[in-house]
Amino acid sequence: MSKHTILIVEDDDLIRKFMSRAVTDAGYRSVLAENASVCRMLFLSELPDLVLLDLGLPDDDGLNLLKEMKSIREDIPVIVVSARERENEKVRALDMGADDYVTKPFGIFELMARIRTALRHSDKIKGQPENSSSSVFVHKDLVMDLARHTVKLRGEEIHLTNREYRILELLFRHKGKVLTYSWLMQQIWGDFIPQDNTILRVNMTNIRKKLHESLEDPVYIKTELGVGYRMPEDED
Amino acid sequence: MLKNRKILQDLILTVLILYLAWLISSLLLPNTGVENNSALVFVLAVVIISSLTDGYFYGITASLVSTVLINWFFMYPYGKFNISLAGYPIAIISTLTCALVVCTLTARTKQHARMAEERERRTAELYEQNAILEKEKSAMELSRAKADIRSNILMSVSHDLRTPLTAISGAVSVILAQDPKEHFEGNLELIKGIREQSEWMSTLVENIISVAKLGGEGGELKLKAEIPDEIIESCVIKIRRLFPDAEIELDLTDDVVPVLADPILIRQVLQNLLENAIRHSQSEQPYRIMTRTCEKGLQFSISDHGKGLPGALMEEINSGTGVLMDTITDGDHRRGIGLSACQSILRAHNSRLQVSETAGGGTTFSFVLQIADIDS
């Protein structure tokens, strides 16, 4: 398989350089953009496999850029790089289709793990025909069988309510990806979304209790505080 | 408009009462003859008129008209004016005097009433203004206190930033000046130091952002129902990354108890308290995070089994008055705004930081968050 190309969009020179070093050291090809207009150009000419997008750019709103790139190539994985002061922007970016996020300051190991996950995810989707949705999901000791409508942990059946079952199915289907509260609520309640997300979160907590999830090291469902939930990829 | 109506009213009243007096006197006259009481009836009429109308005009007019009427109708010879009558000037003067006295009294009473009313209005106004002033005064005091806290934090922050910055830039200069092959081992140590210092700065900046968020233009925090377990999970994972060797024990309520909180800020509180414990307490045993429901809500406590805090500092924290600066130090003489950031954050949650001794030695920090109602 050829080298993946990663487009790094970041206005700070030093951060862009160290991200580029880390990406090339890990065996990817890096393409660098310091602002939105260069990003637009390179996005079309270099056909990157993944975009690392800083939301605070000098010449345009990073969210606009995200929307444009997703409208040109829906399946392009985008990892948003955000600052703590811009918590809301991060959630909006995820709602607008960003695949993942890292918050500054981030460690390079964390960034590389996110890149690997996002790339693996998009390669898998590309490699599969659309309708080959397998009916059995497996993650660590957890097995979800859609055909039989069962969930088993270490071979023992776990009883979930209908809503809990659907939440778990969504997490499995989008393994590795952060699912925001609003996205999950939209999926589960459709047009009848409750005012606040407490019910969803109580459901989620109950699922996690049924899975005997440890808070210190959750393996099935991880909390992304203030954002949503994620089922971790097998690797991390 | 209103004034005209009052004049008309007074006029009609005057005419009506005078007519009534004339009528009564006419009825009395055939029965009493010369010795009639018409003068008294008219004096009564003048008194009534004077007291019911505004000012002197109606009273005086009525008294003059009365004397004429008495003379014409009820004094011998009837139907004629006779000014030479002995009692007549006395009758004029007495009715006139009556009118004047009563008018003056009435006017004075009315003025008193008006003055009393005015006084009452002024008192109310004064009271209102006083209340406004009080409010402004307390707002000013509050903002002064806030400004004090902020300037203290700024002082502490600049000190705290300068130290690691000096260390980082110094270390980098040393590394750049040396031959990297010759000094590899030494450089590695310096580079590790740089990472440590920058991590410290990163925590500090987190706290600054939290405090800035509290003092921001947006005003009040929007507290939402949050699951405490999620906040604790997120905090523990963060601490694990910073201190891989720290042992942390969790002891949480079995039930899901949503609390009203800003999750990121409460995580910051937990993280600051845990970091303090790990860095400064020299605790041998695991650190513990516990949640329990209590009367006022859900109590979070973070405890260590370390060397404990000095009594004065514990008092300062519990009283919630002190600006917790310069108090917790470690070997590097770093000060940190961790505790004061905790206090600010908790205050914005209508809560406060409490500290006590852990059973068997050590320090336990705790705070209570309000439980959120949920409509399932």
Side-chain angles (χ1 to χ4, degrees):
Chain A
M1 197 185 234
S2 64
K3 270 186 182 179
H4 282 111
T5 300
I6 295 177
L7 172 56
I8 300 173
V9 193
E10 162 66 59
D11 61 325
D12 185 274
D13 280 341
L14 194 56
I15 297 181
R16 199 172 57 243
K17 258 179 213 151
F18 100 69
M19 287 209 283
S20 166
R21 262 283 289 279
V23 162
T24 37
D25 284 356
Y28 304 110
R29 191 171 83 90
S30 73
V31 189
L32 309 178
E34 70 272 21
N35 57 37
S37 48
V38 175
C39 166
R40 287 193 179 92
M41 208 173 68
L42 293 177
F43 183 73
L44 295 174
S45 62
E46 297 287 335
L47 294 176
D49 298 291
L50 181 143
V51 181
L52 282 176
L53 175 64
D54 184 87
L55 287 178
L57 292 174
D59 55 340
D60 198 356
D61 190 344
L63 291 176
N64 288 339
L65 212 49
L66 170 67
K67 208 189 295 173
E68 277 171 44
M69 290 193 285
K70 282 280 177 182
S71 71
I72 297 168
R73 278 169 59 192
E74 204 194 330
D75 58 341
I76 178 82
V78 177
I79 298 177
V80 164
V81 178
S82 87
R84 155 83 202 276
E85 309 87 89
R86 298 167 176 249
E87 272 158 28
N88 296 335
E89 241 172 38
K90 170 172 78 191
V91 180
R92 266 168 62 208
L94 289 168
D95 280 335
M96 281 167 60
D99 296 73
D100 209 338
Y101 70 93
V102 284
T103 308
K104 284 179 184 172
F106 49 83
I108 208 66
F109 295 111
E110 188 188 352
L111 179 68
M112 296 320 293
R114 298 292 164 87
I115 290 175
R116 276 196 298 276
T117 302
L119 283 175
R120 191 152 3 101
H121 221 243
S122 84
D123 286 348
K124 209 157 58 189
I125 291 168
K126 274 186 219 152
Q128 283 175 354
E130 277 292 308
N131 53 4
S132 82
S133 56
S134 72
S135 71
V136 179
F137 295 124
V138 183
H139 180 60
K140 303 250 161 74
D141 296 328
L142 186 66
V143 181
M144 185 171 202
D145 189 332
L146 294 181
R148 293 194 185 135
H149 207 275
T150 56
V151 177
K152 282 183 179 171
L153 181 68
R154 277 178 223 99
E156 245 178 77
E157 189 160 348
I158 293 191
H159 297 282
L160 298 177
T161 66
N162 271 338
R163 196 189 287 157
E164 288 166 356
Y165 184 87
R166 285 179 61 201
I167 293 173
L168 191 63
E169 187 188 334
L170 285 169
L171 284 163
F172 260 120
R173 283 195 190 281
H174 301 89
K175 196 169 165 182
K177 210 181 150 169
V178 188
L179 306 181
T180 62
Y181 301 128
S182 62
W183 187 87
L184 278 167
M185 308 245 294
Q186 178 73 50
Q187 294 296 311
I188 289 163
W189 280 277
D191 293 337
F192 305 100
I193 297 185
Q195 283 257 309
D196 67 77
N197 55 33
T198 322
I199 305 168
L200 168 73
R201 305 179 53 189
V202 171
N203 289 152
M204 198 63 91
T205 312
N206 285 330
I207 300 176
R208 300 176 73 183
K209 292 213 161 163
K210 288 180 186 178
L211 298 181
H212 304 294
E213 192 78 295
S214 99
L215 286 186
E216 292 117 288
D217 187 23
V219 289
Y220 301 112
I221 303 172
K222 282 191 171 171
T223 301
E224 302 284 333
L225 203 61
V227 179
Y229 301 93
R230 174 210 309 266
M231 180 176 282
E233 278 282 350
D234 298 323
E235 179 202 54
D236 40 75
Chain B
M1 194 63 204
L2 210 74
K3 213 174 163 190
N4 286 339
R5 228 174 100 187
K6 176 73 182 152
I7 290 171
L8 193 71
Q9 203 180 327
D10 284 356
L11 214 61
I12 291 170
L13 204 72
T14 309
V15 172
L16 206 74
I17 292 170
L18 282 177
Y19 175 72
L20 218 66
W22 178 83
L23 207 69
I24 293 169
S25 295
S26 307
L27 288 174
L28 288 173
L29 190 63
N31 300 322
T32 55
V34 186
E35 298 292 316
N36 68 63
N37 301 315
S38 57
L40 286 177
V41 173
F42 275 95
V43 169
L44 187 67
V46 167
V47 167
I48 292 171
I49 289 166
S50 301
S51 64
L52 290 183
T53 55
D54 271 355
Y56 296 84
F57 173 78
Y58 304 99
I60 292 169
T61 314
S63 67
L64 292 176
V65 171
S66 301
T67 50
V68 173
L69 289 176
I70 292 166
N71 191 303
W72 186 271
F73 289 104
F74 308 112
M75 276 183 163
Y76 189 81
Y78 307 115
K80 270 197 186 110
F81 256 120
N82 190 352
I83 301 176
S84 63
L85 260 175
Y88 190 58
I90 296 171
I92 293 179
I93 289 167
S94 57
T95 44
L96 209 58
T97 312
C98 266
L100 281 172
V101 169
V102 174
C103 281
T104 312
L105 279 175
T106 315
R108 206 176 290 162
T109 320
K110 279 183 182 162
Q111 202 179 348
H112 277 191
R114 217 170 317 150
M115 268 163 66
E117 227 169 76
E118 176 81 355
R119 212 171 315 136
E120 203 170 304
R121 202 173 53 80
R122 277 214 196 128
T123 315
E125 239 168 53
L126 220 72
Y127 185 78
E128 216 167 276
Q129 266 171 2
N130 197 42
I132 292 169
L133 273 174
E134 277 296 316
K135 216 181 279 169
E136 274 171 9
K137 197 174 136 206
S138 63
M140 259 165 68
E141 268 165 15
L142 199 71
S143 75
R144 199 173 309 135
K146 266 189 189 164
D148 276 356
I149 292 173
R150 213 165 292 170
S151 77
N152 271 327
I153 287 175
L154 269 180
M155 294 268 281
S156 167
V157 159
S158 33
H159 172 271
D160 278 12
L161 279 175
R162 216 176 302 122
T163 313
L165 274 176
T166 312
I168 290 172
S169 67
V172 170
S173 317
V174 169
I175 293 167
L176 283 177
Q178 287 168 342
D179 181 351
K181 276 170 207 146
E182 241 175 83
H183 295 273
F184 183 76
E185 283 292 315
N187 284 356
L188 203 64
E189 213 162 281
L190 286 174
I191 291 169
K192 276 182 187 160
I194 292 172
R195 191 177 66 184
E196 209 173 278
Q197 296 287 335
S198 55
E199 271 166 6
W200 160 260
M201 269 173 72
S202 156
T203 311
L204 180 69
V205 170
E206 291 274 301
N207 275 320
I208 297 171
I209 294 168
S210 299
V211 174
K213 199 169 159 188
L214 294 174
E217 291 297 309
E220 299 269 299
L221 276 183
K222 272 195 187 150
L223 302 182
K224 286 181 297 182
E226 292 290 334
I227 312 289
D229 302 29
E230 293 182 358
I231 301 177
I232 291 166
E233 169 199 337
S234 178
C235 166
V236 170
I237 287 172
K238 238 180 140 179
I239 288 286
R240 279 274 156 73
R241 208 155 40 203
L242 291 172
F243 307 95
D245 301 330
E247 259 182 80
I248 302 167
E249 248 179 35
L250 301 182
D251 178 4
L252 310 180
T253 53
D254 285 335
D255 302 326
V256 187
V257 186
V259 291
L260 283 176
D262 178 313
I264 308 282
L265 290 179
I266 291 301
R267 180 179 65 187
Q268 188 77 45
V269 170
L270 294 172
Q271 192 189 325
N272 286 350
L273 294 174
L274 266 177
E275 259 196 76
N276 267 345
I278 294 168
R279 281 188 200 277
H280 310 299
S281 76
Q282 298 161 4
S283 177
E284 295 283 333
Q285 295 167 60
Y287 310 94
R288 170 192 284 255
I289 304 179
M290 189 166 91
T291 57
R292 286 286 179 273
T293 47
C294 64
E295 245 176 84
K296 289 179 196 158
L298 187 74
Q299 184 180 49
F300 291 71
S301 43
I302 294 87
S303 44
D304 64 57
H305 296 281
K307 61 183 180 186
L309 289 181
L313 176 59
M314 284 177 60
E315 252 170 56
E316 196 185 336
I317 294 170
N318 283 334
S319 70
T321 49
V323 181
L324 301 174
M325 253 353 120
D326 311 344
T327 39
I328 292 194
T329 54
D330 63 6
D332 306 338
H333 304 294
R334 278 170 177 162
R335 302 196 267 185
I337 60 165
L339 272 189
S340 74
C342 288
Q343 272 193 330
S344 305
I345 292 169
L346 290 173
R347 214 172 291 142
H349 285 77
N350 287 322
S351 177
R352 54 196 284 193
L353 193 61
Q354 296 285 311
V355 63
S356 59
E357 204 171 297
T358 312
T363 311
T364 298
F365 283 97
S366 63
F367 58 91
V368 177
L369 292 184
Q370 215 183 314
I371 293 172
D373 297 322
I374 44 162
D375 42 344
S376 49

